[in-house]
Amino acid sequence: MAERIDLSGWGRYPTVESRVERPEKRTALRDVVNQDGNPVLARGAGRSYGDASLLDSGGTTLLTDRLNRMLSFDSDTGVLRAEAGVRLREILEVFVPRGWFLPVTPGTKEVTLGGAVAFDIHGKNHHRDGGISNFVREIELLTAGGETVTCSPAQNEKLFWATVSGAGLTGIITEVALELRPIETAYVAERTLKAQDLDDAFALFEEHEPNYLYSVAWIDCLASGDSLGRSHLMFGRHATPDELPTKRQQDPLGYEPDHLASLPFDLPEGVLSEHTVKAFNKLYYARQRKRDKREVVGIDPFFYPLDAIDDWNRMYGESGFVQFQCVLPMEESYDGLKEILAEVQDSGLASFLAVLKRMGPPDGGLLTFPTEGYTLALDIPRRDGLEDLLRDLHETVARRGGRVYLAKDAYLRPDTFREMYPALEEWLEIKRRVDPENRFTSTQARRLGIEP
Ligand SMILES: Cc1cc2nc3c(=O)[nH]c(=O)nc-3n(C[C@H](O)[C@H](O)[C@H](O)COP(=O)(O)OP(=O)(O)OC[C@H]3O[C@@H](n4cnc5c(N)ncnc54)[C@H](O)[C@@H]3O)c2cc1C
């Protein structure tokens, strides 16, 4: 049964009235695709920030949350086969106690397998392992013709690489076979280092990254002058049982998901003034006194600190916020990040701590985001001046040969998008073949002029 509801992404902008269906069976999914020739888009958990999971007019948004069955698991190969609506949280709850972890995980476990594949998500191990596509053994894709096509790096490989990172525009992913990672404990051996500026942060990444599977930095993007780029770098690897405190050694795979609090209402606009954000960032940086700290922490605090507060996106008030995430090629990263941080500071639009991460070589997806270099992600509330700031930031990124992440985007313009994603033409050739009438589209695709 179709209904009409208002939907938005995690940044709560834009909001669009949507005609939605929530099928429970894959046959019902096929019926909607075959129905009336109108546009269709799959939506997972709505954790992309902007308009990638939205379809504004004249079509149906298919909510996949009831297509969430785990189908099989092969303990020899570690391959889990599941429907695309399964959330990463559900996989963790079942598999961590059995000694398996996600091969790649984003900063929230509330995303679906379908959404993860559709954006070829990256995690703190991108410098080592690349994106999730490197662990996807196979997908089942429902295409515009109503057929289900099996795609993998060895079978229908062009369609596979167009779908991985294809933002739902090649069809509906119904099933994913994902190779999980064996672990011995539900804990991470973490080392946190303080960097006093950007030079220091880069040097620490270079020095310590080879020793750790995971790395990320929280950077205070309001610190300027000599402190520009000051940050906390976090490195981690899965802990072995003998590294755990004695009490934990009894049950090394015991996994107790964090769930602390929720934000019951929207904060009034203005609570997040430049002053409060600056004060928060300063406190955060000062929180750790020692320059170098080692501890063993649980999976949730290491990978998903933000999930501890439900609906934290309401902190930005009703107008919402955007996350600007870019990646710059290695040779442009240092100067480019300095330029971007200065642009954000000049705009006076406050941003909480931003995330800085080193990425490895690009993955196989044609519209995949990562490229070898540094990525910076920062949240900016929607206030006057935001559009101008983003236009400037996008131009800086494009000029330096980088790109912005479409999973976070709500403002990029078609010409800048084309400049940033040179494989678009190759991708469009595949789109023309599998979806010549452009049945699969989104508000984002329309804004960016993506059509066959
Ligand atoms: C707090 C937070 C931290 C994050 N950290 C990271 C990170 O570290 N790394 C990273 O890469 N991303 C990160 N993200 C972004 C997030 O991983 C992606 O946006 C992901 O796509 C969201 O999945 P979803 O299930 O919510 O999909 P949605 O947001 O619902 O949809 C995203 C896209 O996937 C498509 N899609 C969804 N399901 C299907 C399907 N079954 N078939 C075909 N297409 C489908 C949609 O059409 C849409 O284009 C983060 C997001 C949040 C909120």
Side-chain angles (χ1 to χ4, degrees), residues 71 91 130 139 143-144 162 210 227 247 272 294 311 338 375 434:
L71 304 169
I91 298 177
I139 56 174
T143 60
S227 306
K247 206 177 84 196
L272 293 181
R294 293 167 197 254
D311 298 334
K338 279 195 148 174
T375 176
V434 288

Side-chain angles (χ1 to χ4, degrees), residues 316-336:
Y316 290 91
E318 266 184 13
S319 311
F321 67 108
V322 290
Q323 184 169 95
F324 163 77
Q325 181 171 3
C326 69
V327 61
L328 297 171
M330 198 54 92
E331 63 282 7
E332 294 286 340
S333 285
Y334 181 78
D335 290 340

Side-chain angles (χ1 to χ4, degrees), residues 9-10 41-49 51-54 62 64 84-87 105-108 110-124 141 163 166-174 306-307 312 323 325 369 405 407-408 441-442 444:
W10 188 244
L41 183 74
R43 171 169 159 118
R47 256 39 181 206
S48 47
Y49 281 68
D51 49 4
S53 69
L54 306 178
L62 284 165
T64 58
V86 167
R87 291 197 184 203
T105 180
T108 172
E110 296 300 338
V111 312
T112 63
L113 276 177
V117 172
F119 269 123
D120 189 9
I121 54 152
H122 58 271
K124 296 181 171 68
L141 184 73
T163 300
L169 305 177
T170 57
I172 300 173
I173 302 163
T174 54
L306 292 170
D307 283 347
W312 61 261
Q323 184 169 95
Q325 181 171 3
F369 165 69
Y405 191 9
K408 311 287 177 76
T441 187
S442 65
Q444 180 178 61

Side-chain angles (χ1 to χ4, degrees), residues 47-48 88 102-126 129-136 163-167 178 304 325 359 363 365 367-370 405-408:
R47 256 39 181 206
S48 47
L88 302 188
L102 299 161
V104 166
T105 180
T108 172
K109 52 186 167 171
E110 296 300 338
V111 312
T112 63
L113 276 177
V117 172
F119 269 123
D120 189 9
I121 54 152
H122 58 271
K124 296 181 171 68
N125 54 338
H126 192 273
D129 291 330
I132 200 163
S133 58
N134 283 337
F135 299 87
V136 175
T163 300
V164 164
S165 75
L178 180 71
Y304 314 112
Q325 181 171 3
M359 297 194 127
D363 306 298
L367 300 182
T368 198
F369 165 69
Y405 191 9
L406 298 185
K408 311 287 177 76

Side-chain angles (χ1 to χ4, degrees), residues 3 9 16 19 21 45 54 65 79 112 132 165 192 198 214-215 249 265 281 298 338 344 374 380 393-394 408:
E3 56 176 319
V16 303
R19 179 183 187 276
E21 293 213 23
L54 306 178
D65 50 349
V79 174
T112 63
I132 200 163
S165 75
T192 316
L198 200 59
Y214 303 110
S215 70
Q249 289 185 6
F265 50 80
N281 283 5
K338 279 195 148 174
V344 172
Y374 279 84
I380 312 172
L393 292 175
H394 293 161
K408 311 287 177 76

Side-chain angles (χ1 to χ4, degrees), residues 224-301:
S224 53
D226 287 350
S227 306
L228 184 94
R230 78 173 168 198
S231 33
H232 279 178
L233 281 80
M234 273 154 272
F235 297 98
R237 55 175 173 72
H238 294 283
T240 53
D242 55 307
E243 288 176 302
L244 305 187
T246 324
K247 206 177 84 196
R248 302 248 186 245
Q249 289 185 6
Q250 320 286 320
D251 183 18
L253 288 165
Y255 175 53
E256 290 155 24
D258 266 358
H259 195 81
L260 299 181
S262 65
L263 207 61
F265 50 80
D266 297 337
L267 286 189
E269 313 280 309
V271 167
L272 293 181
S273 70
E274 194 181 350
H275 293 301
T276 41
V277 173
K278 224 174 188 162
F280 172 83
N281 283 5
K282 213 171 162 183
L283 268 176
Y284 186 89
Y285 185 74
R287 194 184 63 155
Q288 180 178 323
R289 283 171 194 279
K290 287 197 286 183
R291 177 171 160 87
D292 187 352
K293 189 167 133 198
R294 293 167 197 254
E295 58 189 331
V296 173
V297 297
I299 280 173
D300 280 19

